[in-house]
């Protein structure tokens, strides 16, 4: 039977980054991914990195193109009630954020994995995990019609929200916390210059809007929509028109429209499972938690999990100590809950929540307070740039 030290399920950012950090310490891994490399690299995701995530990508040796192509943002803008409030992240929290598409990062990680020569199985069918409550876990999958098996020391469940790892844990051993929001995000990607130098988050009676970007020539815009909206109902023209209605005039002036490269609708949810460790199975990234996209914490949380998990596995193999592995779940969850709270707060502050004008009045009062309170803006900025890792 084939053997490895760590079997990594899922070749998203969490799985590949973990693989890279372990590879650099001489730890053998096999990555099993159910989709093709092309499919994984074509997915359009968020594009905002905390400094801690950027530092980790450097540590993993995958930051070369990021350093060449990144945009650095020292602030953001909040639009509400006809006003535009700049939040100076650098001045308030002492840090900046980095704009670099997750799609690009996924390609960089895929290239690094291929260059490392470590085993990666794309299009692995019917992945199953076994005996993770024993000292000899196993992983099974189907490849070219043949059933295969791998023995390992540990299984890293980096297989996203719909993966097999979390689903393989007996129901009595795991607790789920969930909140589903009654709206979605309709995203549009286009090769047009961004309407402003920084991101604009808009609270509007008609619903939330976000102006983001991937580069100086590629923009990513989002509109709050209903969960039952269908992409086919949103022509490009309707999207641009609705976006303009939700933005203040001084920003609409900078809006350049163009044909969409991609349009999709994503539901919004908060989801956390506890614990993140089950014997020799460890969950990381979207397999363990989902945040609503407001504030772009999803990828950054995945990176924070992987940072802790990689350090714990490295300690296990170099010092023969399981101390950090023991601590992984509690330490990761502490930061996960902090980011869950922030993402929930930012979502609740900026979206149209219901038909009741009372909710909207409360939001406007809070935004008005933020505009006048440095303490309020510091709280936003500290969370937005990313809380400390430890
Ligand atoms: N077997 C093997 N692979 C699987 C299985 C399975 N049964 N189920 C899912 N996968 C793969 C998916 O195809 C996907 O490529 O696991 C990978 C999980 O990757 P992501 O969903 O990108 O999750 P993660 O790596 O945790 O990244 C978190 O990505 O989803 C965004 O918002 C999220 O930005 C965050 C970041
Ligand atoms: C994105 O660019 O996709 C993005 C940026 C910031 C967010 C959410 C999404 O808060």
């Amino acid at each position: 039977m084939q053997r490895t030290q760590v079997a990594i399920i899922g070749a998203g950012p969490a799985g590949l980054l973990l693989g890279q950090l372990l590879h650099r310490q001489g730890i053998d891994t096999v990555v099993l991914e159910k989709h093709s490399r092309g499919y994984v690299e074509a997915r359009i995701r968020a594009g905002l990195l905390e400094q801690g995530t950027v530092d980790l990508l450097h540590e993993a040796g995958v930051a070369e193109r990021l350093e060449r192509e990144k945009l650095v943002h020292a602030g953001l803008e909040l639009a509400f009630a006809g006003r535009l409030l700049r939040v100076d992240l650098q001045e308030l929290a002492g840090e900046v954020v980095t704009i670099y598409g997750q799609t690009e990062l996924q390609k960089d990680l895929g290239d690094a994995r291929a260059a490392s020569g470590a085993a990666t199985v794309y299009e692995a069918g019917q992945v199953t995990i076994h005996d993770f409550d024993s000292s000899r876990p196993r992983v099974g999958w189907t490849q070219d019609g043949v059933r295969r098996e791998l023995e390992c020391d540990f299984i890293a469940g980096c297989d996203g929200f719909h993966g097999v790892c979390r689903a393989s844990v007996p129901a009595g051993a795991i607790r789920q916390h969930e909140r589903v929001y009654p709206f979605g995000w309709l995203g549009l990607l286009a090769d047009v210059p961004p309407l402003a130098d920084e991101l604009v988050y808009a609270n509007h009676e008609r619903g939330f809007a976000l102006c983001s970007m991937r580069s100086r020539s590629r923009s990513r815009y989002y509109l709050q929509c209903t969960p039952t909206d269908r992409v086919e109902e949103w022509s490009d023209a309707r999207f641009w028109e609705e976006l303009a209605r939700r933005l203040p005039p001084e920003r609409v002036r900078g809006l350049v429209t163009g044909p969409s490269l991609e349009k999709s609708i994503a539901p919004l949810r908060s989801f956390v499972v506890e614990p993140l460790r089950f014997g020799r199975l460890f969950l990381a990234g979207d397999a363990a938690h989902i945040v609503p996209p407001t504030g772009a914490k999803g990828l950054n949380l995945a990176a924070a999990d992987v940072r802790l998990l990689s350090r714990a596995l490295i300690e296990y193999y170099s010092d023969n100590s399981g101390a950090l592995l023991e601590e992984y779940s509690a330490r990761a969850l502490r930061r996960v809950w902090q980011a869950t709270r922030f993402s929930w707060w930012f979502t609740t502050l900026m979206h149209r929540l219901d038909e009741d004008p009372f909710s909207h009045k409360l939001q406007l009062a809070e935004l008005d307070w933020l505009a006048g309170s440095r303490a309020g803006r510091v709280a936003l900025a500290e969370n937005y740039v990313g809380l400390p890792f430890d």
Side-chain angles (χ1 to χ4, degrees):
M1 195 193 305
Q2 205 181 330
R3 238 207 86 72
T4 190
Q5 290 175 300
V6 183
I8 299 175
I9 316 300
L16 290 187
L17 182 55
L18 178 65
Q20 200 56 22
L21 289 163
L22 296 180
H23 172 75
R24 288 172 79 91
Q25 298 297 321
I27 297 170
D28 189 59
T29 61
V30 173
V31 172
L32 296 171
E33 163 61 50
K34 83 172 186 189
H35 287 115
S36 68
R37 185 171 166 193
Y39 175 93
V40 170
E41 292 182 0
R43 291 184 296 208
I44 308 291
R45 298 276 179 79
L48 188 144
L49 308 180
E50 298 172 358
Q51 190 55 47
T53 303
V54 172
D55 293 344
L56 192 66
L57 295 170
H58 275 279
E59 194 182 315
V62 293
E64 199 191 312
R65 189 161 70 101
L66 163 72
E67 282 307 321
R68 276 201 315 272
E69 298 182 7
K70 70 178 182 184
L71 299 176
V72 170
H73 284 189
L76 60 85
E77 291 183 326
L78 300 178
F80 59 99
R83 297 164 66 182
L84 203 51
L85 167 67
R86 179 164 189 270
V87 178
D88 189 332
L89 299 170
Q90 186 154 43
E91 191 264 324
L92 294 162
E95 272 184 46
V96 295
V97 292
T98 295
I99 300 292
Y100 188 69
Q102 187 174 320
T103 308
E104 304 312 313
L105 180 58
Q106 181 78 49
K107 288 180 198 153
D108 299 342
L109 286 165
D111 287 344
R113 181 80 193 171
S116 76
T120 317
V121 181
Y122 286 99
E123 298 181 86
Q126 294 160 326
V127 173
T128 51
I129 62 173
H130 310 274
D131 299 339
F132 47 85
D133 50 356
S134 79
S135 58
R136 278 281 165 267
R138 284 173 302 116
V139 175
W141 73 99
T142 304
Q143 200 178 340
D144 303 324
V146 180
R147 196 68 196 157
R148 296 180 189 268
E149 213 172 47
L150 173 70
E151 197 181 74
C152 56
D153 300 329
F154 299 101
I155 299 172
C158 302
D159 50 350
F161 185 62
H162 300 287
V164 67
C165 290
R166 191 182 71 243
S168 302
V169 175
I174 189 166
R175 235 189 117 180
Q176 310 202 350
H177 305 271
E178 183 168 36
R179 171 148 315 178
V180 177
Y181 301 85
F183 38 78
W185 275 21
L186 168 65
L188 179 147
L189 187 70
D191 274 335
V192 292
L195 93 178
D197 292 336
E198 295 173 342
L199 270 51
V200 182
Y201 292 83
N203 172 307
H204 192 274
E205 287 170 317
R206 296 180 63 86
F208 170 75
L210 168 60
C211 310
S212 183
M213 63 189 77
R214 293 289 173 269
S215 68
R216 285 188 214 289
S217 57
R218 182 168 286 189
S219 300
R220 180 73 166 157
Y221 292 108
Y222 296 99
L223 292 175
Q224 177 181 352
C225 62
T226 67
T228 52
D229 269 355
R230 290 180 309 126
V231 181
E232 305 81 67
E233 295 161 0
W234 285 89
S235 65
D236 288 1
R238 181 178 171 208
F239 185 99
W240 292 119
E241 200 179 304
E242 182 61 28
L243 179 64
R245 291 175 83 164
R246 297 186 189 185
L247 298 173
E250 62 264 54
R251 285 293 161 261
V252 175
R253 245 177 270 136
L255 182 62
V256 182
T257 64
S260 61
L261 300 170
E262 191 257 9
K263 246 185 323 208
S264 55
I265 291 180
L268 267 69
R269 75 167 83 223
S270 298
F271 177 85
V272 183
V273 294
E274 297 179 318
L276 303 182
R277 176 196 180 166
F278 310 89
R280 286 176 169 251
L281 166 66
F282 294 83
L283 301 180
D286 276 16
H289 41 72
I290 297 285
V291 288
T294 331
K297 291 296 172 211
L299 173 61
N300 292 295
L301 269 186
D305 290 352
V306 160
R307 178 178 174 276
L308 283 180
L309 185 54
S310 64
R311 278 158 174 61
L313 290 166
I314 291 163
E315 184 197 64
Y316 175 86
Y317 286 111
S318 60
D319 304 345
N320 200 21
S321 158
L324 286 180
L325 285 173
E326 289 287 340
E327 289 173 20
Y328 168 73
S329 179
R331 284 179 68 179
L333 279 169
R334 192 171 167 203
R335 200 167 179 285
V336 164
W337 276 112
Q338 300 266 346
T340 299
R341 186 211 67 80
F342 172 70
S343 304
W344 160 83
W345 171 80
F346 202 21
T347 298
T348 306
L349 177 68
M350 298 306 291
H351 288 71
R352 185 184 166 124
L353 301 175
D354 49 44
E355 299 293 318
D356 190 351
F358 185 77
S359 311
H360 192 227
K361 287 287 183 188
L362 288 183
Q363 292 176 332
L364 294 181
E366 185 161 4
L367 286 160
D368 188 26
W369 169 73
L370 277 176
S373 165
R374 185 182 154 82
R377 290 193 305 280
V378 167
L380 191 166
E382 267 185 15
N383 283 278
Y384 191 90
V385 301
L387 293 173
F389 274 143
D390 295 301

